[in-house]
Amino acid sequence: DAGVIQSPRHEVTEMGQEVTLRCKPISGHNSLFWYRQTMMRGLELLIYFNNNVPIDDSGMPEDRFSAKMPNASFSTLKIQPSEPRDSAVYFCASTAGRADGYTFGSGTRLTVV
Amino acid sequence: GDSVTQMEGPVTLSEEACLTINCTYTATGYPSLFWYVQYPGEGLQLLLKATKADDKGSNKGFEATYRKETTSFHLEKGSVQVSDSAVYFCALSPHQAGTALIFGKGTTLSVSS
């Protein structure tokens, strides 16, 4: 099992550009989560999906952020337009059930300049 | 709503010292409880878990016991190593199905030789 796979590992972009982060969950996991981690705010839940359906997106900071899960094996988090305050490490995680805990990906370190 | 409170860090110890990181929770019903560890530059990894009262989770010399009477899940290790230096997160999976993990703010552990 390759675990949760995120790409890219690092992304540097200019303010105003569109950024797309990608995640492949573990096969058979039916829930997927996007988190953002910064020194100032710690670990924040942005959005999560159950069976490819968005359940709670209340953590998405504003309309510039959007997430999709077109099928069970792929999800994207898009920021358009990006701003310097979006700089953070973005994690994707998946799980098969609430008693199993989450498996996290290695994260995407986003720097917006 | 459900919540997790863990002790503020950083915690600084010498190698072979005993470790306790306190974690208490507020929840309705019967949550599952977890400890995650994050090494520098990496994603969160599940360290141990307990799914019902009086369960003891253990892994890599770490252990924690689900205490319903004190609503606690303290992380302990008898003899820490330099390689244990990391950030440790306590987390709760609410009883209600389909809801996301609730994480504590994290405790940074630094172990010196």
Side-chain angles (χ1 to χ4, degrees):
Chain A
D1 188 347
V4 176
I5 299 172
Q6 291 187 245
S7 63
R9 285 298 309 273
H10 303 274
E11 177 80 30
V12 180
T13 191
E14 292 185 346
M15 182 173 63
Q17 296 297 306
E18 176 180 296
V19 175
T20 299
L21 312 181
R22 297 172 176 79
C23 175
K24 176 179 169 57
I26 291 175
S27 177
H29 283 192
N30 59 356
S31 297
L32 181 140
F33 307 80
W34 282 101
Y35 285 86
R36 177 172 69 176
Q37 187 177 40
T38 62
M39 289 295 293
M40 291 296 294
R41 295 186 298 270
L43 194 63
E44 302 173 279
L45 175 66
L46 300 177
I47 185 171
Y48 72 95
F49 298 82
N50 282 346
N51 297 315
N52 312 339
V53 176
I55 301 300
D56 184 355
D57 65 354
S58 61
M60 296 285 261
E62 48 197 277
D63 292 346
R64 297 185 296 106
F65 286 69
S66 62
K68 295 181 179 180
M69 192 165 185
N71 56 62
S73 59
F74 184 66
S75 177
T76 60
L77 178 67
K78 184 178 294 186
I79 308 172
Q80 166 63 20
S82 58
E83 297 183 2
R85 60 194 168 117
D86 301 330
S87 297
V89 181
Y90 290 81
F91 289 105
C92 176
S94 68
T95 186
R98 73 176 195 91
D100 295 334
Y102 295 177
T103 301
F104 280 78
S106 298
T108 295
R109 181 173 295 278
L110 173 65
T111 303
V112 183
V113 298
Chain B
D2 294 1
S3 66
V4 173
T5 303
Q6 61 182 106
M7 62 187 286
E8 298 277 336
V11 174
T12 304
L13 296 173
S14 297
E15 206 165 24
E16 300 183 4
C18 295
L19 169 71
T20 300
I21 300 178
N22 291 335
C23 173
T24 57
Y25 68 90
T26 302
T28 55
Y30 304 96
S32 295
L33 301 173
F34 306 86
W35 277 100
Y36 284 81
V37 58
Q38 185 178 29
Y39 299 104
E42 299 183 11
L44 279 72
Q45 301 174 26
L46 179 63
L47 180 60
L48 53 85
K49 68 177 183 180
T51 58
K52 62 181 187 297
D54 300 325
D55 268 2
K56 178 185 284 188
S58 61
N59 186 24
K60 300 181 181 180
F62 291 90
E63 58 183 35
T65 301
Y66 188 162
R67 303 282 190 200
K68 192 165 178 65
E69 63 275 13
T70 55
T71 61
S72 65
F73 193 55
H74 305 322
L75 182 68
E76 298 177 328
K77 188 174 186 181
S79 176
V80 295
Q81 305 300 312
V82 173
S83 57
D84 294 328
S85 298
V87 182
Y88 292 81
F89 293 89
C90 185
L92 174 157
S93 178
H95 179 72
Q96 180 183 356
T99 52
L101 277 183
I102 298 170
F103 284 90
K105 293 185 182 300
T107 302
T108 299
L109 171 65
S110 179
V111 181
S112 59
S113 58

